[in-house]
Amino acid sequence: GSIDYRDVDSTAPDLVAAMESAKSRKAGIWSVEGKLEASAAPVKKERGQPEEVKTVRVSEIRDGNHFFFHEVGDEAVAKISSAMEAFKEQHGVSPGPVTLKKGKVVAALFDDGSAVGWYRAKVLEVASPGTYRVLYIDHGNVGLVTSKDVRPLDGGLESPPPCSADCRLALTRARDLGYDEGVAAARLLSRMSWGKELTARVHGSIEGSLHVTLYDPSSPTSINEALVGAGLARAAPRGEAEGFGRETQPEAVKELWEGLTKTQ
């Protein structure tokens, strides 16, 4: 699932209540403080990646820790968007014959709230007979489609890499959307990030996801620390932080982890 960022403003008072309630009751993420160290699992890290700083805009929020972004100024985003608009002008919104199978990249319809359009989508799985779960690769959102919602891509549009980057807040753990605190964390992340140009300090990659410290330039506090300070996320265990630091930038990661632990 993902969070509907359009609901954020109307739920802001509930977020405050959820934060205070979580802290006072040691509920949700607070209730597992002692379990985090024991549950830390080894992860495959990709070596040799220098730290990067990017200016980004969030394109999708999956939960309070997992999101996707576009890099500001990336010409590929504009080129793919323009190409898909031209695709719609040529084909309208009529479906076309295409064999749907796992891993196939096709054009799939999606309504972004302003209009229905074609977007590049990768088939993830068969959700039920005749229905497929797809990842809209240039934005990061997931949806369900049928054969009436797709058509084959043309003009080499299958080949360019995704325009959105899969990201996690580094060393920051939040509940998933199956928990009230997880929903509140995702909404707070959306409230702090959606529609803004942000600074992403990219520490490295774990299994295809960039792990970042995310900043709103108008605030001295990182979004990672803000979520932890609100009681809706926890810092990763020391061992995980030290392991990640050894594979990336030890001093920067140590600084982040110490800031997170002080905040919680």
Side-chain angles (χ1 to χ4, degrees):
S2 58
I3 194 70
D4 186 348
Y5 58 88
R6 291 168 291 188
D7 289 341
V8 171
D9 290 340
S10 65
T11 58
D14 295 335
L15 295 181
V16 177
M19 294 173 208
E20 296 306 319
S21 177
K23 284 186 175 182
S24 65
R25 294 183 291 110
K26 290 285 181 179
I29 199 73
W30 291 84
S31 68
V32 296
E33 179 177 2
K35 301 177 184 177
L36 288 177
E37 189 77 46
S39 65
V43 292
K44 180 181 178 182
K45 301 180 178 68
E46 299 168 14
R47 295 172 179 267
Q49 299 178 68
E51 182 173 276
E52 298 179 88
V53 177
K54 301 175 181 287
T55 301
V56 305
R57 294 180 72 92
V58 171
S59 61
E60 170 71 359
I61 293 174
R62 294 283 184 85
D63 58 34
N65 172 264
H66 187 194
F67 62 99
F68 290 72
F69 69 58
H70 292 151
E71 186 170 359
V72 174
D74 183 359
E75 293 183 359
V77 177
K79 287 180 178 179
I80 290 294
S81 178
S82 178
M84 296 311 294
E85 288 175 5
F87 187 90
K88 181 179 177 181
E89 289 178 6
Q90 179 179 355
H91 300 291
V93 292
S94 300
V98 59
T99 300
L100 293 174
K101 60 182 179 179
K102 185 175 180 179
K104 177 75 172 175
V105 178
V106 299
L109 291 172
F110 180 77
D111 186 348
D112 67 0
S114 61
V116 175
W118 291 108
Y119 297 85
R120 297 195 302 161
K122 181 178 181 179
V123 179
L124 300 177
E125 63 179 354
V126 178
S128 61
T131 302
Y132 301 83
R133 190 178 307 278
V134 299
L135 169 67
Y136 292 92
I137 61 174
D138 297 314
H139 299 274
N141 53 312
V142 172
L144 295 175
V145 300
T146 69
S147 59
K148 296 179 180 180
D149 305 310
V150 299
R151 65 177 302 120
L153 286 164
D154 51 33
L157 285 170
E158 289 185 41
S159 303
C163 293
S164 62
D166 187 332
C167 301
R168 309 272 177 165
L169 294 176
L171 306 182
T172 307
R173 290 186 170 188
R175 287 286 202 181
D176 63 34
L177 298 182
Y179 298 85
D180 289 344
E181 289 84 2
V183 173
R187 285 178 170 158
L188 183 56
L189 172 59
S190 180
R191 179 179 161 195
M192 292 186 291
S193 66
W194 196 265
K196 301 178 181 179
E197 290 195 2
L198 306 170
T199 300
R201 188 178 182 184
V202 182
H203 301 291
S205 177
I206 299 176
E207 298 181 342
S209 289
L210 300 179
H211 283 238
V212 308
T213 304
L214 197 61
Y215 296 90
D216 180 339
S218 67
S219 172
T221 302
S222 73
I223 289 176
N224 308 49
E225 290 186 16
L227 279 163
V228 171
L232 296 174
R234 300 293 290 174
R238 178 188 293 274
E240 181 179 321
E242 291 176 346
F244 184 52
R246 285 193 296 270
E247 300 289 343
T248 53
Q249 309 84 32
E251 292 304 316
V253 171
K254 179 182 179 183
E255 179 185 356
L256 170 61
W257 186 78
E258 289 178 347
L260 292 173
T261 54
K262 287 179 183 177
T263 301
Q264 70 185 11

